[in-house]
Every structure is written in structure tokens, then in C-alpha cells.
Amino acid sequence: MGCLAGAALVLTLGCKTAGSGDSSSSQPSRTQDLDQSVKFNSDSAYYYVGRQVAMGPRVPGSSASAKCVDYIASELRRHGSDTVKLQHGTVKAFNGDVLPITNVMGSFNSSAKKRILLAAHFDTRPWADNDPIEENRRDPIPGANDGASGVGVLLEIARQVGVKSPAVGVDMLFVDAEDYGQLSGFSNHDETWCLGTQYWTSNMPYAADSLPAYGILLDMVGGMGAKFHREYFSHKTVPELVDKVWGIAERSGHGDRFINVVGGGVVDDHVFLNRAGIPTLDIIESKSDNTMSFPSTWHTLNDDMDHIDTATLKAVGQTVLNVLYNESK
């Protein structure tokens, strides 16, 4: 599918891909020293990813999905989340499937007025429709990177936040039914993706005057050697926020992973969070060195633990931790 975004032609394949996007870049800020006292444990995050994959594909409505919801909620409680809320609902997919969904939200330091929202999807694509082997294309993907990696990073961040609270409040949102969208055809099918987030934004737990200061979405953040360009829609919608996070990544020693050049535009959960009034960027591998788009494991049966990189998890997790612990009230 093709659609015009600003002056660049961007391919948007549902929570997914995009073309090369704009080639411009912005200079990251270097105005303050970083507090890097809280260390992200990539082995712990890897374990969280593996626990999810071991449950099987987390397709909405499946027993594996229910197990994953229980697991996320129990881990949030174990790590000291002030409140854990399960939002149950029903959505209709593009193909007529009626999907029971559950979004999970946990809050830390609930008394803090200034809040940061961290988000990831936990569901997995029901069909490996990008698999190179045709007979595999009706099978659900394992979703190690596309689903479990973002959740794994957030659960490790939850563990750290539970031990040492940052100055700001932290809300974590784990959404369902992100990856059930329509990939085929040439028309624009943006609204068929991110169904869980669309449901959540229609039933948000925030009042209009108490929205988070900003949000960070994590999607496909565990791939081997992954690099994270400035996602096109994030760059166009919240450029100062991208400057901030990419600048902190560089000063954290991860500038080799956070490339300060615009990559592909992705129809992902952040698009709908931005529409709901929460300024949100997407950390996602959208311009792989090998494919110039998503990683080669995307929507294939190869999206498994063999293709998860602890160094990638570390780069993303430490960057997000440094963002949180360098925020003032």
C-alpha cells in the first residue's frame, strides 16, 4: 500500500512497514549530564521474552493470549505496581472476525502529577503471511520480536522502577489485537490495525486535563543487530520528543543503534495515541540494513528466540530507563 505523508512517499503496511522515508536528521541535545545509575538487565528482559514465546502464539482470544495477560498482570503486581487494570472488550477485525481483547495497564508512583506512558503490544500475528515458504503462511507467528520484545523490555523496566522510583509517574500499557490488520490490497487499511489501542483510546482512564506528558511505544525492539531510525510519523508529529530520546540514546552510548536519520513510516499504536492527545513516538526497526524495511523475520515463522539479541534489548531498555530517571517532576 502506498500513501503520501508530507512530501515523502511512505509505504504503510499496517503495524508495519514503510519505505525509506525522509533522509533529513536533527541534532540530538547534549545540554545535561545523564543519571545512568539504574542499569537495565538485558538477560532479565530476554527471559521475559522467552516466557511469552513459550506460551505459544498470543493470538487474540486464544488460551496463550489469556496466559500472557495473566503473566503480565502478575509481574506488574510483583514489581510493585500501585494499580493494575484489565480492560476487556470486543473488536471486529477487517475479515469479520469478532475478537475478545484484553488490554493491561499498570501504574507506578500514582501520586505523581507528571506521568510518562510506556506502551507495547503483546499479541501476535495470526498468519505468517510474509514467510518465504508458502505452506507456512497460514500459521501464526511465534512473535518473539514482533510482540514479546517490547513487553519484555517493559517488564524489566517495571522491575527497576519498582526498586527505585523515578521522579515522575510511570504508566505501562500492554495492548491486544495490534497485529490483526489487513495487509493485502492497495488501498489504505490503517484503521484495521491496532484495534486494542483504538479501543483503549475510546475508553481511556485519563481525564482530559491529566494526560501523560508523553508516551514511548516499543515494537520489534529485540532483533539481531537492529538499528532504530527516527520513525517517520514520530518525526513529523513529535520531533522534539524524538530529538530528546535519540539524544539520550547517543549520550547513553547507544548512538550506533539509534540512528539520527528518518526511517520508514509505520502505522502502529503511537498513531492512535497521538490522535487521542498523548504525544507518542515509536521505537521500532523500520529500516533494516538487510531489507531497508522491517527485519527479515517480520511476519514469518523465523520470528523466534534464535533471532533475539540481548545487546538490542539493552540498547533500548537502557535508553528508556535513562529517559525516565532524567525527568524532573
Side-chain angles (χ1 to χ4, degrees):
M1 293 171 272
C3 73
L4 286 171
L9 179 64
V10 182
L11 301 177
T12 57
L13 300 183
C15 169
K16 310 315 175 182
T17 181
S20 60
D22 190 329
S23 62
S24 64
S25 64
S26 300
Q27 182 63 34
S29 170
R30 297 175 177 270
T31 58
Q32 66 178 23
D33 294 330
L34 282 180
D35 175 358
Q36 299 194 64
S37 60
V38 179
K39 303 300 182 183
F40 185 85
N41 188 323
S42 59
D43 290 333
S44 176
Y46 184 89
Y47 171 81
Y48 285 129
V49 176
R51 281 292 302 270
Q52 295 169 80
V53 174
M55 296 173 190
R58 283 80 64 207
V59 176
S62 67
S63 61
S65 176
K67 290 178 183 177
C68 193
V69 166
D70 289 344
Y71 179 64
I72 292 170
S74 67
E75 288 301 292
L76 290 172
R77 294 186 185 102
R78 187 167 74 91
H79 295 321
S81 176
D82 300 337
T83 60
V84 177
K85 298 179 181 178
L86 303 185
Q87 182 190 58
H88 302 290
T90 302
V91 297
K92 189 173 183 179
F94 73 93
N95 60 357
D97 289 351
V98 176
L99 308 174
I101 64 166
T102 303
N103 297 321
V104 185
M105 185 170 176
S107 295
F108 294 82
N109 193 12
S110 295
S111 62
K113 184 174 181 181
K114 183 177 181 180
R115 313 201 62 75
I116 310 302
L117 178 67
L118 305 180
H121 78 91
F122 65 85
D123 66 300
T124 53
R125 182 95 171 138
W127 321 280
D129 41 6
N130 199 49
D131 200 282
I133 301 175
E134 186 173 357
E135 52 263 37
N136 290 343
R137 294 175 189 166
R138 293 186 178 181
D139 295 334
I141 69 169
N145 192 24
D146 194 359
S149 66
V151 173
V153 169
L154 289 194
L155 289 179
E156 168 57 12
I157 291 174
R159 188 179 72 84
Q160 299 285 358
V161 169
V163 173
K164 179 183 178 181
S165 180
V168 294
V170 179
D171 296 330
M172 294 189 176
L173 175 62
F174 301 84
V175 294
D176 203 350
E178 183 270 353
D179 222 350
Y180 217 100
Q182 184 171 353
L183 197 59
S184 61
F186 297 93
S187 59
N188 191 323
H189 300 304
D190 294 359
E191 305 297 324
T192 69
W193 299 87
C194 308
L195 299 179
T197 294
Q198 291 188 63
Y199 185 91
W200 185 83
T201 56
S202 297
N203 303 274
M204 282 198 300
Y206 302 112
D209 61 351
S210 65
L211 294 175
Y214 60 84
I216 298 175
L217 172 67
L218 305 183
D219 195 355
M220 295 198 291
V221 291
M224 288 290 178
K227 297 177 181 178
F228 304 98
H229 293 72
R230 299 167 64 101
E231 188 273 329
Y232 179 86
F233 296 121
S234 303
H235 173 76
K236 290 298 182 183
T237 306
V238 289
E240 292 182 356
L241 179 57
V242 180
D243 288 346
K244 175 179 183 172
V245 174
W246 263 244
I248 287 177
E250 182 177 18
R251 286 181 286 142
S252 301
H254 299 298
D256 60 330
R257 295 299 192 117
F258 283 74
I259 310 303
N260 200 38
V261 173
V262 180
V266 185
V267 177
D268 207 345
D269 297 300
H270 69 305
V271 170
F272 301 96
L273 292 171
N274 274 298
R275 290 181 188 176
I278 303 174
T280 306
L281 62 75
D282 194 4
I283 299 177
I284 186 170
E285 186 179 6
S286 64
K287 194 176 180 182
S288 165
D289 289 343
N290 295 326
T291 67
M292 299 308 292
S293 179
F294 292 138
S296 59
T297 58
W298 173 69
H299 288 185
T300 74
L301 298 190
N302 288 324
D303 186 5
D304 56 24
M305 292 303 294
D306 289 340
H307 296 90
I308 295 296
D309 185 354
T310 54
T312 303
L313 297 172
K314 174 69 174 181
V316 174
Q318 191 63 59
T319 294
V320 176
L321 275 179
N322 289 350
V323 170
L324 293 179
Y325 286 95
N326 285 275
E327 279 289 349
S328 58
K329 293 183 180 179

